[in-house]
Amino acid sequence: MGLNKVIDIIEADYGCEECPPDGPHALLVLDTGDKVEVSERWIREHETEPGKYVWRGEGGSILKAVRVAAAVIKVEREAPMILATQRGYGAYKDGWEFPGGKLEEGETPEQAIVREIKEELDISIVPESCLDTVEYDYPDFHLSMACFLCTIAEGEPVLKEHEAARWVTKEDLDSVDWLPADITVIDRVRDIL
């Protein structure tokens, strides 16, 4: 169980046997040395290739893994506040989240969050500490989200990808409709406000 990097994909050898009903199968060779059998269709649908990640759940389930970094940007104004942003695209459009995005190949979560926040909000941030790493199963993928407490080094947020943004205090943390993975961090955020 856990997050694993795909090292290689090899065809499963069935010999004279018939192909399984969901099509030809292949083996994902993982960074642990384990080999996991999945259909070639699953590989295509989940855009799996060497260097990508998968999540192995209880009971042998396997999901495409998406690795992201999220910024819990805290400011001290009339009261301590954090920035909540509303997604402007995709399957979870209109849901509220901590801003951030996907890690690129070879990038640390800290590097990713600095880059993503510059791209999305046109501000420079400083990741102060890792609050939590959330492991959350959505229906079609597993989200591995490193959440960092951050401060603004320079600039004021400008929305480039989000539909809306709000500074929220401890008292109004529950006033936005957080996405499911982000909800799991709210109690930790409440403790820092």
Side-chain angles (χ1 to χ4, degrees):
M1 188 169 116
L3 189 65
N4 295 116
K5 187 173 188 176
V6 177
I7 302 301
D8 196 9
I9 300 174
I10 56 178
E11 280 186 40
D13 182 12
Y14 288 101
C16 295
E17 299 173 29
E18 291 182 24
C19 283
D22 55 348
H25 277 213
L27 296 172
L28 301 179
V29 180
L30 305 178
D31 56 358
T32 59
D34 294 339
K35 294 177 182 171
V36 178
E37 186 175 338
V38 295
S39 71
E40 289 180 7
R41 179 179 169 189
W42 187 94
I43 292 170
R44 282 190 311 277
E45 288 175 353
H46 293 90
E47 301 170 348
T48 303
E49 59 188 41
K52 300 284 184 167
Y53 286 80
V54 294
W55 177 261
R56 294 194 311 168
E58 293 181 27
S61 67
I62 190 162
L63 288 171
K64 172 185 176 178
V66 178
R67 296 175 64 218
V68 301
V72 178
I73 301 171
K74 183 180 175 186
V75 297
E76 297 286 336
R77 296 202 173 146
E78 55 276 1
M81 299 177 176
I82 57 105
L83 186 65
T85 55
Q86 188 177 33
R87 286 181 68 89
Y89 59 91
Y92 296 96
K93 183 182 182 315
D94 297 330
W96 288 81
E97 64 184 353
F98 299 108
K102 293 180 185 175
L103 277 66
E104 293 180 354
E105 184 67 32
E107 200 173 41
T108 67
E110 292 88 345
Q111 292 167 330
I113 198 60
V114 169
R115 176 188 52 75
E116 284 284 347
I117 297 305
K118 186 66 175 171
E119 291 172 4
E120 292 180 6
L121 299 170
D122 199 26
I123 58 174
S124 297
I125 60 164
V126 176
E128 302 288 338
S129 62
C130 185
L131 286 178
D132 201 357
T133 298
V134 173
E135 303 292 348
Y136 189 87
D137 288 344
Y138 281 97
D140 297 334
F141 65 95
H142 174 84
L143 183 72
S144 182
M145 180 172 67
C147 300
F148 292 91
L149 176 61
C150 300
T151 55
I152 297 176
E154 185 179 352
E156 284 294 322
V158 175
L159 300 182
K160 294 186 169 194
E161 295 182 18
H162 295 92
E163 205 162 289
R166 287 183 48 194
W167 290 103
V168 293
T169 64
K170 184 176 190 172
E171 292 72 32
D172 55 293
L173 268 176
D174 299 322
S175 67
V176 298
D177 188 17
W178 294 102
L179 290 173
D182 294 76
I183 287 172
T184 66
V185 183
I186 294 298
D187 285 340
R188 297 287 309 268
V189 171
R190 202 177 311 277
D191 290 342
I192 63 163
L193 287 177

